[in-house]
Amino acid sequence: MFIVEETIAGPDAAQIPKQRGESLLETAVRYAEERHWDVFPGTWLEAVDGVQRCSCGDAACALPGAHPTRPDWITQATGSATVARRLWTEQPTASILLPTGHTFDAIDVPETAGFLALARMERMELTLGPVTLTPDRRMRFFVLPGASVKVPDLVRKLGWAPASLDLVALGEGAYVAAPPTRYGSRGAVQWACRPTPANRWLPDAEELISPLAYACGRDR
């Protein structure tokens, strides 16, 4: 089970569990071993003249320390805890990235809409999967694979044009950064809803799309 500290308050009275200082290596191994998620190591942060810079060498990197190291990153992804341990032993400070489209897809929305949707989902007594909160103020709701194909039509059925909402489903060919990966000096990815035995079985996108689309519509 993942260990968390006390929760911290967020918008709309939502709470975010803050993960303790477990090593990236042990965390990556846990994701593979306990959740059966594929993982792969991304870039990492290096101190350059007292400033945290991305290992990619780009001083203007948009995701410092939190993106793939190579174009064929998908070939690095592994669901083996043994392989994950070897990869992070070779580079202990590498970010933890999770490819979408295999064991889960993710629905990406702005933080404000995400918190509003979480409150609404709680009132609706919906069962959630894990949800991350990133330092660039995005929330990613983990759902069953296939969401990236279904979400546009689901949004249209609710009366919205997909392009009008800041909502996108991440599927095959995409990835998410997992806690406790850091985005440069902006902070670390956190769990808004942490992985637990209760949410091992993920919801379908169809179960969550209504409150998410509603929240994104209000957030425009």
Side-chain angles (χ1 to χ4, degrees), residues 47-156:
V48 179
D49 297 327
V51 178
Q52 292 290 319
R53 296 278 176 84
C54 186
S55 62
C56 73
D58 183 357
C61 181
L63 294 171
H67 65 84
T69 59
R70 51 199 243 194
D72 64 342
W73 56 264
I74 193 64
T75 64
Q76 292 180 290
T78 179
S80 165
T82 300
V83 175
R85 185 174 296 279
R86 176 177 59 78
L87 291 172
W88 270 269
T89 296
E90 293 172 359
Q91 182 46 256
T93 57
S95 53
I96 302 173
L97 305 180
L98 312 175
T100 51
H102 182 206
T103 52
F104 65 87
D105 280 6
I107 301 178
D108 177 291
V109 299
E111 174 188 304
T112 49
F115 277 119
L116 177 61
L118 279 176
R120 189 175 179 87
M121 290 173 187
E122 184 177 352
R123 291 194 298 271
M124 296 169 68
E125 298 184 346
L126 294 180
T127 300
L128 291 176
V131 181
T132 62
L133 173 65
T134 69
D136 56 355
R137 304 179 69 84
R138 306 293 298 183
M139 293 180 77
R140 279 132 186 199
F141 290 72
F142 289 23
V143 294
L144 289 172
S148 61
V149 175
K150 295 191 293 186
V151 159
D153 282 341
L154 292 173
V155 169
R156 290 188 191 96

